[in-house]
Amino acid sequence: MTDRKTTILRLVIFCALAFAPFWIIIPIMNAAYGEPVYMSEAAVPAVYALGTFGMLIPSAAHLITRLVTKEGFKSTYLGSHFKGNAKWYLASVWVKLAESVIGALLIWRLRAGALSFPEAFPVGDPKALTGMLLLQIAFTIIVFFPAFGEEWGWRGYMMPKLLTLMPKWAAVLLGGVIWGLWHAPLTVAGHNFGVDYPGYPWTGIAEMCLMCVMMNAFLTLLTERTKSIYPAAFCHMMNNNLGAVVLITIAGSEALQSAADASGASLFHTAFLPLLAITGIISFILLMKKE
């Protein structure tokens, strides 16, 4: 049995390793481009690299912490444990897909309600639409690897440690806030919400923490029930690459896309936050129950 002080020490080392790269690199990039890096057209290639490789940082922190502290590699959550857990694997994909579809419909009704459904979502060429969806799904599978990079760190290392130190409700809240603060340099750089909103960047950082708490409840539920990191990685994959705005980009009309683009950060309040809240609350209740 690992003592409490050792667990806290390992958590501190993990968080320091996970936080340092973004908190050092992104301010340098902002200064180099003379503006928040996600707002600079010249920085697009660098931004893609930053996003892709940045998501691998928590897994690298996980691995290094185990090696440095001589923790070993028990309870790594790398087993699939699919038998008996198929419903959780299905939930990892379909819950987020359902959120995306409902979110796209909410964006249409709340931001472009003057458009009829056929005007908002024209069928067009079914073959072309099918091809675009298949291409997006194929790209989503590629996104699994960076999504795994985050999940093996946060849900595969941080959350199991926090759950041994405090009650579940406190672990979910604190873990979500830590995860949200990890995104803070990205938020300052204009990722997620841009920079044109009241209270930039502090309100964006606060909202990111809130969103991460809600997502943390569902992702922790998936990981706890299956004792595997893969469902959380699948869920993260779906969240990042098949969201409501992506669906609108693929299947929506130009008018609907323009309405979504004009909404900017307010989409978080009107479409994403309520759905995340519903999933988060249900997950939180299920987490409080026994297996």
Side-chain angles (χ1 to χ4, degrees):
M1 179 71 96
T2 305
D3 65 90
R4 185 180 180 88
K5 287 184 178 179
T6 301
T7 300
I8 293 173
L9 175 63
R10 286 170 175 164
L11 262 176
V12 170
I13 292 172
F14 165 78
C15 287
L17 292 170
F19 272 64
F22 274 171
W23 285 66
I24 293 171
I25 294 170
I26 292 178
I28 293 173
M29 293 180 70
N30 290 341
Y33 286 97
E35 61 181 328
V37 68
Y38 278 86
M39 299 295 100
S40 173
E41 292 184 6
V44 169
V47 161
Y48 276 114
L50 181 69
T52 301
F53 293 105
M55 291 178 71
L56 301 175
I57 292 171
S59 276
H62 176 171
L63 180 62
I64 294 169
T65 303
R66 284 185 179 274
L67 293 173
V68 168
T69 64
K70 299 180 180 179
E71 182 176 354
F73 288 88
K74 292 183 179 179
S75 303
T76 59
Y77 290 83
L78 291 176
S80 61
H81 307 302
F82 184 79
K83 187 176 181 180
N85 290 312
K87 64 182 179 182
W88 297 110
Y89 274 85
L90 289 172
S92 72
V93 173
W94 286 102
V95 167
K96 281 299 167 185
L97 188 58
E99 281 185 10
S100 298
V101 172
I102 296 170
L105 294 175
L106 280 174
I107 292 170
W108 161 50
R109 293 308 301 165
L110 295 174
R111 297 296 173 183
L115 299 174
S116 66
F117 186 84
E119 290 173 330
F121 299 96
V123 174
D125 183 355
K127 291 182 179 179
L129 179 60
T130 301
M132 291 177 68
L133 285 170
L134 289 174
L135 184 63
Q136 190 65 26
I137 290 170
F139 185 64
T140 300
I141 294 171
I142 297 172
V143 173
F144 168 82
F145 297 100
F148 173 88
E150 276 204 53
E151 291 308 314
W152 197 47
W154 305 123
R155 258 58 61 179
Y157 194 79
M158 177 185 72
M159 286 309 300
K161 295 285 189 291
L162 289 176
L163 288 166
T164 66
L165 295 172
M166 60 192 71
K168 282 185 179 180
W169 66 267
V172 170
L173 291 176
L174 179 57
V177 171
I178 292 172
W179 187 26
L181 291 176
W182 177 78
H183 288 87
L186 291 166
T187 304
V188 172
H191 188 45
N192 294 115
F193 309 117
V195 298
D196 187 20
Y197 57 87
Y200 163 82
W202 305 110
T203 53
I205 292 171
E207 289 178 354
M208 194 67 194
C209 288
L210 178 61
M211 182 174 73
C212 285
V213 167
M214 294 172 182
M215 281 197 66
N216 189 38
F218 184 48
L219 295 169
T220 300
L221 175 68
L222 293 172
T223 306
E224 266 221 333
R225 290 293 190 265
T226 61
K227 307 302 180 188
S228 172
I229 203 59
Y230 301 113
F234 287 139
C235 180
H236 201 141
M237 169 190 80
M238 295 294 292
N239 181 77
N240 282 22
N241 209 51
L242 273 177
V245 174
V246 173
L247 293 180
I248 286 175
T249 301
I250 293 172
S253 64
E254 289 186 11
L256 181 58
Q257 291 176 33
S258 297
D261 290 341
S263 298
S266 64
L267 285 180
F268 178 76
H269 304 96
T270 58
F272 304 147
L273 187 57
L275 298 173
L276 284 174
I278 292 169
T279 301
I281 291 169
I282 293 172
S283 301
F284 197 82
I285 292 169
L286 292 175
L287 270 172
M288 297 303 110
K289 294 183 177 181
K290 293 183 179 179
E291 291 282 345

